[in-house]
Amino acid sequence: MDTVETRRNAVEKLINEKGSVSFAQLKEAFPQVSEMTLRTDLKALDEERRILRIHGGARSVQVLIDTDDFLSRKAVRNIPEKQLIAKKALKLLRPDTTVFLDSGSTATVFARRFPDQSNLIYTTGLSCAAELAALSRPAVMIPGGRLNRYSQSVFGFPAIREVEQVNFHQAFLGVAGYQNPAGFTCGVYEEAMLKRTAARQADQVIVLMDASKAGIKSTFHICDLKEVDVVISDGKLPEDFLRECETYQVEVL
């Protein structure tokens, strides 16, 4: 196997492991490779249908369009980062409040660590609800709607209408990516609308996001950075994103 193919296999492997990567992340992972060579590699891999080039980066072809990936695949990626995010999120929780907890692998890790205290929790994640079922004190609500079999979540207009009737103290949102000026995005239109509704109904909007999501633009807009109060991450967010957060006075944990 020649050097070019070895390198392209390594690029493909990284993209498959992460699900999606920004070009900045690729440059960091392959510092010895020039930008022009990396762009040529992405073009070749895309033409061979081994990866999918997207604006500002690349996405694994193993990630299905409009599903935001299988939960089982996401659950085994970036595990230490998700555990750190969950640990930080716990410090923001207050008893006797109403909380919206989004679906997704990071939210599931958070739900697994949720304290057994008095809260009213609305969650769209079936895996989150299963974790919360072990607790005796919180009241757990699952909005009615369509089942996304891939992400094991509930979405759709019935769920949106139900969430519209609730005033949340905090909304913990998962996202597929963030890129300026697209803002926070995800891959399913009705899920984006549901997340947007929960954010609008919340006193405090908190985004759970590891650094792999920075620089990634998915299909549907959730909200802008200026509409968020706190971003909880893994301490590896790029400097340009941190500067944006500072501009909009968004707290980063």
Side-chain angles (χ1 to χ4, degrees):
M1 184 181 295
D2 61 25
T3 304
V4 172
E5 189 60 24
T6 300
R7 184 182 65 247
R8 289 179 180 173
N9 286 342
V11 170
E12 180 186 8
K13 180 181 178 183
L14 175 67
I15 294 168
N16 284 336
E17 287 176 348
K18 295 287 188 182
S20 59
V21 298
S22 65
F23 192 73
Q25 289 172 312
L26 281 173
K27 288 195 295 181
E28 184 179 348
F30 299 93
Q32 75 283 6
V33 182
S34 69
E35 288 192 19
M36 182 178 295
T37 300
L38 277 176
R39 294 186 190 280
T40 301
D41 288 345
L42 291 182
K43 184 174 184 292
L45 290 169
D46 181 74
E47 289 173 349
E48 294 171 14
R49 299 187 179 183
R50 292 164 62 182
I51 58 103
L52 175 67
R53 282 200 299 172
I54 58 176
H55 182 74
R59 195 174 188 183
S60 169
V61 294
Q62 296 175 7
V63 178
L64 302 184
I65 299 299
D66 285 344
T67 65
D68 274 353
D69 203 356
F70 289 103
L71 180 66
S72 58
R73 288 177 181 165
K74 293 196 294 184
V76 297
R77 296 186 192 127
N78 304 326
I79 294 173
E81 290 83 355
K82 290 169 183 173
Q83 291 173 338
L84 178 59
I85 290 169
K87 183 179 179 180
K88 291 179 179 179
L90 286 173
K91 296 179 181 179
L92 296 183
L93 280 175
R94 302 186 302 273
D96 303 314
T97 58
T98 302
V99 174
F100 176 83
L101 179 57
D102 207 350
S103 61
S105 55
T106 304
T108 303
V109 175
F110 180 31
R112 190 174 301 139
R113 292 169 168 254
F114 209 96
D116 197 1
Q117 65 184 28
S118 176
N119 288 101
L120 175 58
I121 307 169
Y122 278 76
T123 183
T124 53
L126 300 186
S127 56
C128 294
E131 296 291 346
L132 294 168
L135 306 177
S136 60
R137 299 190 67 191
V140 181
M141 306 292 292
I142 305 174
R146 276 179 66 194
L147 171 66
N148 184 329
R149 292 179 176 84
Y150 305 103
S151 61
Q152 296 180 31
S153 63
V154 175
F155 70 111
F157 291 104
I160 292 168
R161 285 194 291 269
E162 186 170 343
V163 168
E164 282 177 334
Q165 306 306 311
V166 185
N167 296 316
F168 300 104
H169 293 94
Q170 294 174 308
F172 292 87
L173 301 181
V175 299
Y178 176 85
Q179 189 182 94
N180 188 13
F184 294 102
T185 54
C186 72
V188 181
Y189 174 65
E190 291 178 359
E191 287 192 357
M193 289 186 64
L194 180 55
K195 295 171 191 284
R196 191 183 311 152
T197 301
R200 190 169 58 243
Q201 294 295 112
D203 295 334
Q204 185 182 42
V205 180
I206 302 159
V207 170
L208 309 177
M209 171 182 145
D210 66 64
S212 69
K213 307 292 179 62
I216 299 298
K217 181 173 71 173
S218 196
T219 310
F220 298 106
H221 175 78
I222 299 169
C223 62
D224 294 321
L225 183 59
K226 63 185 178 183
E227 299 173 89
V228 167
D229 297 296
V230 183
V231 172
I232 303 180
S233 192
D234 51 11
K236 303 176 184 177
L237 291 169
E239 287 298 323
D240 57 344
F241 179 80
L242 293 175
R243 285 194 295 270
E244 282 190 73
C245 290
E246 187 175 351
T247 298
Y248 292 113
Q249 297 183 320
V250 176
E251 184 179 5
V252 178
L253 299 178

